[in-house]
Amino acid sequence: MFMDLESILTAGGMEKNRATMIKTVISQREALKKLSQAISKPIYVEKTQSSEIRASNIDPQIVSSWYDHLNKSGILVVSSRTDILNFLIHRYNLVSYLEIGVRDGNNFRNIRCLNKTGVDPSKEFPDIENVVYTTSDEFFSSLEGDVKYDLIFIDGLHLDHQVSKDIQNSLSHLCENGIILMHDCNPPTIHHAREDFSDLSTPAGGKWNGTTWKAYARERCTNKDIFACVIDLDWGCGLIHIQDKQKLYNKDELDTCLEYTYMDENRKSLLNLISVDKFLSMDIGKDTQG
């Protein structure tokens, strides 16, 4: 059971007017540090895409050791796909990581995993260590069947046909209890979900999620041998776990489900959209059956 900030403050013996004061400065990290120290209780915060910050009382035992410098102040900030990936790596003791679509390496360089490999066809940023400069199709076709990864992050070409291939290839090269994370699964408008990246005339401007969501939704509607959800953060981080069994989304025909207007109207149920709080509290493989 999660506690909101006011409940935490009350439990810590603070007066209600002080709770109100702290709320007014909750976006200030220093205020949260002082608050945590004052009540001698860890507070973990979620920063959403809209910059809203919420606090939850989450078991510190499941927090990644990569956040030790934050733990001393009782603060865990989960604000990006990189944070989610590092959390998964530590939470489930994952040792092998594959990233499809490295680009400038901003995410890849910050992944804290024992063995990591990146794949990208562009040589615009050619000096990133452990990156194979080729297409994902060529990379997977070169792999022996017994090459497996604990965690695969898909963030390559954001088009349905390619993402679908990346998902199927990834499923073939996941370890037992392996996890796939996908970026761009929750486009906020139809303009963000356009097929043509180069079309900058839309209200979305240069922001582009493409049709990645369709590839994810297809798995949500047809693949009963996985658990699938989208974490509501950083344009939507789709998570697929291969050892679970999901209840398929079957409220309408697949072609209908893959229309943006339908997805937009049924976003939460079709995508199985969950909060960061819920994600952090889940024990994947135990709490995700069905």
Side-chain angles (χ1 to χ4, degrees):
M1 179 70 71
F2 293 131
M3 301 169 66
D4 60 23
L5 183 58
E6 184 171 333
S7 299
I8 294 172
L9 290 170
T10 302
M14 287 188 168
E15 296 178 357
K16 192 170 184 179
N17 63 348
R18 180 157 175 74
T20 302
M21 181 187 72
I22 292 294
K23 280 185 177 181
T24 63
V25 292
I26 192 171
S27 62
Q28 304 293 324
R29 176 177 284 193
E30 288 306 311
L32 283 170
K33 288 181 181 179
K34 292 175 182 177
L35 172 61
S36 180
Q37 293 164 357
I39 65 175
S40 300
K41 194 172 191 177
I43 297 173
Y44 301 99
V45 296
E46 165 200 346
K47 183 175 182 182
T48 67
Q49 191 168 296
S50 63
S51 296
E52 175 189 358
I53 294 183
R54 295 195 292 272
S56 296
N57 186 25
I58 300 171
D59 184 352
Q61 295 303 313
I62 69 172
V63 176
S64 169
S65 60
W66 303 112
Y67 296 101
D68 280 348
H69 64 292
L70 296 177
N71 289 346
K72 293 173 184 176
S73 302
I75 304 295
L76 166 64
V77 176
V78 178
S79 61
S80 70
R81 56 197 180 276
T82 310
D83 294 336
I84 289 174
L85 289 161
N86 281 330
F87 182 89
L88 287 168
I89 288 165
H90 181 77
R91 175 72 169 97
Y92 299 102
N93 299 311
L94 309 181
V95 297
S96 56
Y97 170 79
L98 173 65
E99 181 168 314
I100 299 171
V102 174
R103 198 173 176 272
D104 57 9
N106 281 345
N107 180 76
F108 186 74
R109 288 191 179 98
N110 288 296
I111 297 302
R112 290 144 174 143
C113 192
L114 185 62
N115 300 303
K116 62 181 187 177
T117 301
V119 178
D120 199 295
S122 173
K123 294 186 178 180
E124 182 182 0
F125 304 93
D127 300 321
I128 306 172
E129 189 175 356
N130 297 324
V131 172
V132 180
Y133 291 96
T134 187
T135 66
S136 57
D137 288 350
E138 291 170 344
F139 175 80
F140 280 117
S141 67
S142 70
L143 288 184
E144 297 292 336
D146 59 352
V147 176
K148 307 287 184 180
Y149 298 92
D150 291 320
L151 177 61
I152 299 178
F153 179 50
I154 299 175
D155 194 20
L157 181 60
H158 300 349
L159 293 177
D160 178 15
H161 72 278
Q162 184 59 52
V163 180
S164 291
K165 286 196 288 184
D166 288 340
I167 291 173
Q168 296 312 310
N169 283 326
S170 295
L171 288 171
S172 297
H173 289 279
L174 274 183
C175 296
E176 184 178 359
N177 289 316
I179 297 170
I180 294 172
L181 196 76
M182 304 167 54
H183 196 216
D184 297 288
C185 290
N186 189 26
T189 74
I190 195 170
H191 308 294
H192 291 78
R194 66 190 185 278
E195 290 198 355
D196 185 1
F197 164 75
S198 64
D199 182 5
L200 305 182
S201 65
T202 76
K207 295 182 175 64
W208 187 60
N209 305 122
T211 52
T212 297
W213 75 269
K214 288 187 179 184
Y216 166 85
R218 186 176 291 104
E219 296 298 311
R220 177 92 171 92
C221 294
T222 63
N223 191 344
K224 62 180 174 49
D225 294 324
I226 61 171
F227 166 78
C229 67
V230 173
I231 305 158
D232 191 10
L233 183 73
D234 199 353
W235 305 110
C237 294
L239 185 149
I240 292 174
H241 183 238
I242 61 172
Q243 290 299 306
D244 293 330
K245 306 292 182 182
Q246 69 173 341
K247 182 178 179 180
L248 295 177
Y249 185 92
N250 57 4
K251 295 180 180 179
D252 284 285
E253 295 295 325
L254 179 60
D255 287 347
T256 300
C257 294
L258 297 183
E259 295 174 0
Y260 182 87
T261 52
Y262 180 90
M263 184 276 286
D264 196 30
E265 293 171 357
N266 301 274
R267 188 180 296 266
K268 187 171 183 179
S269 56
L270 174 60
L271 299 182
N272 193 17
L273 192 64
I274 67 170
S275 69
V276 175
D277 278 353
K278 183 171 182 179
F279 162 69
L280 291 173
S281 69
M282 283 193 320
D283 189 348
I284 297 171
K286 293 183 180 179
D287 300 337
T288 52
Q289 291 288 332

